[in-house]
Amino acid sequence: MSILPEELVNLLKDHDSVKILSTTDENGVPHAVAKGSLTTLDGITIAFNEGLDTNISNKNLVRSIWFDKSVAINVTKGGVSYQIKGKPYKCLITGPVYKEFLLKARERRGPDADIAAVWIVKPDEVRNETPAIRRKEEEEKRPFFNRHLDRASIKKTVHT
Amino acid sequence: MSNHESGLEELADRYPDVPRFIILKLDAQRRGIKLTENAFNAVQEPLYRYGRYSGVKGEETSKGVYPGPLILRDGTTVLTSAAAASQFENPYTIDHVEGKFYIHDNGRRIDEVDFTPRPDYYGKKTSRGVPMESIASARPQRIDIQPYRYCHFWDTQDQCKFCSFFTDLEEQRQLSDEKFPRALNVEDIYETVREALKEPGRISQINLTAGADYSGAVPFDNEVNRYIEVLQAIGRNFSGRFPSQLLAPAYTKKQVKRLYDETGLSSYCPDIEVWDENLFKWICSGKDKVVGRNEWVKRTIDAVEIFGKGNVYTNFVAGVETAQPHGFKTIDEALKSSFEGCEFFAKHGVVYLSLVWRPWKSSVFAGQKQPPLEYYVRLVKGLREIRRAYGLTSDNDDYKHCGNHGDSDLERID
Ligand code: SF4
């Protein structure tokens, strides 16, 4: 398993980036939710908490760890965006990491805040989805595919 | 029963809708676990160092103490203790390599596992100087208190034939001496709960159980009074009713009502132990003599009127219905009987849960043969399906609170 790129680690640890977790149910129906707690603790895996055991995401995560299904995570801030595909590796229901997430939740939302579990996801694939980078990659690979010819970089400007 | 016994991998292939984690849990409960020297040394670290006072022989050795319940990667709690490894013929082995625990089956690495961390209240003493871990033992998300550590069914050799409670697991006798006193002091209980609550997110349920004491004007009156006193003491820590369960005999409606009205108790679990009427009379002769099998069942379903649908439970010791000479001869007959019991109770709003039977040396059933793993796989699958059809969930006995029930673990995705 590889170490996450530094830019992604910074995004994951940034409170202001938007973090989306996407899971699927038994019929493959996707379910995407914002996950404010999502971060990396070791630069290798992704960690986040689930508030309730009965959340759809939580049930989908259980199904994923039981039946070897993947989840997708998107982390975005400004023009930078990463997508991570991976599998849930651990569901923590007690212990120091669990306590750390609970205390953070209580810092943010007050002493009555609660969590059900902390999930650890092991990434299988990390993709830089930053639009400018993706476009550059594609244009290098297939320079004549599906580009509008009136774009500034293509059309010759005729001065009359 | 056939001689071939399918193992974890074969059953995981044959029952793809039953998670491998749950099959592993069932098998680890059936076969037990033992620790390598590395693992034993690792659980002496402050994070894991447990140390309990249950009287089980070998639980505390000169080299150290055994850890709390095992936890699988998916969060499934497995209630099995390495302290009892000598009771099993072919236990799984837990090793510790580069900071992680792994479970092995005859030399083959199966998966990474972990142990329940030591709670902060362990090592502390009550104002009377009593070690708090002797008052309440911790599971990942609950504490267990046994206010009365003696069962009077043993006085007349009418103990449940699978029972090893309050024994050292080796000898067929109740322990109870100065080192292992029968009754706990209620103030010690109050202070221990108060201390346990100081640790953030450590407990979300309190469980009480004890040996049966049927003394009193009406059988069990004294025991009910004791529980009320204990629950009221615990309740001083809370602002209202609190997540809790009492595993106790089937009381009269009046006794159950008192427990509900006079305390903050939220669920009640009179264990039926075995569904079949004749087997109950044979296996649970004490319960049968003092209450009677049909009255036990009636009182259990009557309790739903007081605690509400889904808040009354009854456990059965899965496999004892195959104990010989009177038990079922085939797995199919055994399963049919348990499913019938589950359906009956579910219809009345009672959660009927399975526990894996281990024929402890200190029990009457020592030396009996356990059913194969496949029986447990089929059982948990069937029980979960029946309860789901009746809209029942096992909130008090789920994957993180108990550690005994493969069937309730399956409810996580329902
Ligand atoms: S009631 Fe039965 S199972 Fe419970 S402690 Fe007594 S003999 Fe053991």
Side-chain angles (χ1 to χ4, degrees), chain B residues 151 153-154 159-160 162-163 165-166 211-212 273 287:
Chain B
C151 180
F153 291 146
W154 287 66
Q159 72 265 35
C160 305
F162 52 81
C163 180
F165 280 141
F166 317 116
E273 320 290 14
K287 291 184 175 190

Side-chain angles (χ1 to χ4, degrees), chain B residues 77-367:
Chain B
T77 311
V78 186
L79 208 66
T80 180
S81 172
S86 64
Q87 298 263 337
F88 298 93
E89 269 172 33
N90 181 23
Y92 282 88
T93 304
I94 313 288
D95 198 7
H96 189 256
V97 183
E98 292 171 0
K100 289 177 178 166
F101 293 100
Y102 295 93
I103 186 164
H104 292 253
D105 184 8
N106 291 309
R108 192 170 60 91
R109 185 183 278 188
I110 306 285
D111 208 345
E112 187 185 330
V113 294
D114 204 354
F115 287 103
T116 305
R118 173 189 166 100
D120 288 352
Y121 73 88
Y122 273 37
K124 297 190 174 158
K125 289 189 172 162
T126 67
S127 56
R128 294 170 64 252
V130 179
M132 289 188 177
E133 61 261 52
S134 72
I135 302 292
S137 62
R139 298 187 188 182
Q141 276 292 334
R142 93 177 195 200
I143 53 171
D144 282 67
I145 300 168
Q146 296 164 342
Y148 191 73
R149 301 183 294 191
Y150 187 90
C151 180
H152 288 277
F153 291 146
W154 287 66
D155 296 345
T156 52
Q157 265 113 57
D158 280 312
Q159 72 265 35
C160 305
K161 290 187 168 47
F162 52 81
C163 180
S164 64
F165 280 141
F166 317 116
T167 70
D168 62 5
L169 291 187
E170 301 283 345
E171 282 179 68
Q172 216 185 100
R173 65 177 182 88
Q174 297 271 276
L175 288 170
S176 178
D177 57 19
E178 331 67 82
K179 276 203 277 167
F180 192 72
R182 281 187 190 187
L184 301 184
N185 175 287
V186 287
E187 279 310 299
D188 285 340
I189 295 175
Y190 163 72
E191 288 176 23
T192 302
V193 173
R194 188 183 61 188
E195 190 61 34
L197 293 172
K198 289 181 183 163
E199 186 177 356
R202 190 61 176 82
I203 36 172
S204 43
Q205 192 176 298
I206 296 170
N207 259 50
L208 296 183
T209 189
D213 171 9
Y214 47 89
S215 64
V218 172
F220 302 111
D221 263 357
N222 294 339
E223 180 173 292
V224 169
N225 287 336
R226 189 179 305 119
Y227 279 131
I228 288 173
E229 207 189 336
V230 166
L231 282 159
Q232 285 175 346
I234 295 171
R236 275 156 46 204
N237 290 291
F238 303 102
S239 47
R241 205 166 283 284
F242 52 93
S244 48
Q245 190 180 60
L246 172 65
L247 286 98
Y251 298 136
T252 63
K253 225 178 190 175
K254 201 170 152 204
Q255 289 166 331
V256 174
K257 183 119 177 54
R258 280 191 61 208
L259 278 162
Y260 187 82
D261 290 345
E262 296 175 33
T263 78
L265 184 67
S266 68
S267 88
Y268 170 55
C269 179
D271 290 342
I272 181 81
E273 320 290 14
V274 59
W275 169 246
D276 181 87
E277 190 172 342
N278 291 328
L279 291 178
F280 179 93
K281 288 172 190 285
W282 173 51
I283 295 172
C284 305
S285 55
K287 291 184 175 190
D288 189 53
K289 280 182 188 162
V290 176
V291 180
R293 190 268 184 184
N294 291 342
E295 180 64 15
W296 192 282
V297 171
K298 184 184 172 296
R299 289 179 181 190
T300 303
I301 59 181
D302 281 352
V304 176
E305 285 173 32
I306 296 160
F307 278 88
K309 177 186 169 182
N311 296 321
V312 178
Y313 295 73
T314 187
N315 291 313
F316 73 103
V317 185
V320 293
E321 74 279 18
T322 65
Q324 295 306 310
H326 303 299
F328 296 114
K329 302 283 188 286
T330 69
I331 285 183
D332 287 335
E333 287 172 294
L335 289 170
K336 187 169 170 264
S337 170
S338 292
F339 292 152
E340 185 187 293
C342 184
E343 179 104 33
F344 173 86
F345 280 117
K347 245 184 230 166
H348 291 92
V350 175
V351 178
Y352 175 85
L353 283 170
S354 67
L355 287 99
V356 172
W357 171 41
R358 281 149 282 181
W360 302 109
K361 287 181 186 162
S362 59
S363 72
V364 176
F365 280 163

Side-chain angles (χ1 to χ4, degrees), chain A residues 43-55:
Chain A
I44 298 172
T45 57
I46 309 296
F48 56 87
N49 64 247
E50 274 293 332
L52 298 169
D53 277 308
T54 48
N55 279 346

Side-chain angles (χ1 to χ4, degrees), chain B residues 10-66:
Chain B
E10 192 181 331
L11 292 169
D13 284 347
R14 291 229 312 272
Y15 295 91
D17 54 342
V18 180
R20 197 168 170 273
F21 289 103
I22 306 306
I23 303 178
L24 173 61
K25 165 180 173 150
L26 294 169
D27 209 24
Q29 290 186 297
R30 256 179 95 242
R31 288 169 44 192
I33 56 167
K34 67 175 181 206
L35 304 182
T36 62
E37 206 180 321
N38 276 349
F40 188 77
N41 290 337
V43 298
Q44 307 313 313
E45 293 297 316
L47 176 62
Y48 294 108
R49 198 182 161 82
Y50 241 60
R52 288 189 299 177
Y53 290 77
S54 65
V56 170
K57 233 179 213 163
E59 192 174 64
E60 192 154 5
T61 72
S62 54
K63 287 193 201 152
V65 290
Y66 283 93

